[in-house]
Amino acid sequence: MRIGVIAIQGNVEEHVIAIENALRRAGLQAEVIKIKHKGLVDSCDALILPGGESTTLGRLLEREGIADEIKKAASAGIPIMGTCAGLVLLAKHGDDQVEKTGQPLLGIMDIHVNRNAFGRQRESFETLIGFNGFDTPFNAIFIRAPGITGCTNDVEILSKYKDSIVAARQKNILALAFHPELTDDYRIHHYFLKMIG
């Protein structure tokens, strides 16, 4: 098994460490690779799109030719997890900010996204949230976080905070508004590993 972490920008190292720890705890073997250029996505059984600055990330993915590879992987049923900016990129529909900046979206999940649902960097926070299927709350870290403001019936809502959906799944796509890789709680990475099968 091979898991690819898109390594163009953002919390790359933290995701690599988190998924390696989750694999170890689950007693699973997998190679975790960093993807910086096209030609590697095809060799992966799962992909992680980390946080970062979504406009920059979207443009770099297009420029490097990785965006099309991710879209192809998504339609082939490859599990993909997007966190924070990764969630924004997964969306089919963005808010005014997305329109204004000409933010490129991958458009692989039937969600509407508000790019700065929880304010700016200085308004970052952490809070306990319920997560569908978890016995106890998850300590979610929100950093200039987006939120899902709407979705189709095909999308399973996994967690809400205030008026926003902050975790959702549509078939093989998992979108998170927060940063599970910044905690020592690997339940969400385990959840993702189960999606790989």
Side-chain angles (χ1 to χ4, degrees):
M1 180 162 67
R2 184 182 243 201
I3 300 166
V5 180
I6 305 299
I8 287 179
Q9 196 222 10
N11 286 4
V12 176
E13 210 51 56
E14 292 88 342
H15 266 297
V16 170
I17 292 164
I19 201 73
E20 283 175 345
N21 282 333
L23 284 160
R24 209 170 16 257
R25 289 190 180 184
L28 297 169
Q29 293 282 308
E31 182 189 7
V32 180
I33 65 160
K34 294 178 192 171
I35 297 172
K36 293 183 181 177
H37 50 82
K38 68 176 187 177
L40 292 170
V41 169
D42 282 0
S43 70
C44 295
D45 303 292
L47 296 169
I48 296 173
L49 263 171
E53 205 289 302
S54 61
T55 310
T56 309
L57 205 48
R59 288 185 182 139
L60 289 170
L61 286 176
E62 289 206 329
R63 198 181 74 200
E64 297 296 326
I66 300 171
D68 286 335
E69 292 183 339
I70 295 171
K71 289 177 200 173
K72 212 169 87 187
S75 60
I78 298 292
I80 299 171
M81 172 165 75
T83 60
C84 198
L87 173 149
V88 176
L89 294 174
L90 295 172
K92 278 192 181 162
H93 311 282
D95 60 2
D96 302 346
Q97 255 190 321
V98 170
E99 305 278 306
K100 207 164 60 193
T101 55
Q103 161 90 67
L105 299 174
L106 293 166
I108 54 180
M109 195 171 181
D110 293 314
I111 54 173
H112 286 262
V113 73
N114 173 352
R115 206 173 77 170
N116 277 60
F118 300 105
R120 300 251 160 243
Q121 192 86 15
R122 65 175 178 277
E123 289 144 67
S124 301
F125 63 98
E126 51 187 282
T127 187
L128 291 171
I129 56 167
F131 192 93
N132 208 1
F134 289 4
D135 297 338
T136 55
F138 188 89
N139 186 42
I141 298 171
F142 291 86
I143 302 170
R144 233 176 97 200
I148 298 169
T149 53
C151 59
T152 63
N153 292 334
D154 293 344
V155 177
E156 181 193 355
I157 296 167
L158 297 171
S159 184
K160 283 180 112 167
Y161 177 70
K162 296 192 171 168
D163 295 333
S164 285
I165 299 163
V166 293
R169 177 178 175 180
Q170 184 175 19
K171 298 189 180 96
N172 53 313
I173 313 292
L174 177 64
L176 308 161
F178 50 92
H179 290 271
E181 77 284 2
L182 298 180
T183 73
D184 293 333
D185 185 341
Y186 301 115
R187 284 180 293 167
I188 286 173
H189 284 84
H190 279 290
Y191 179 96
F192 183 59
L193 289 175
K194 283 188 190 143
M195 286 171 61
I196 307 167

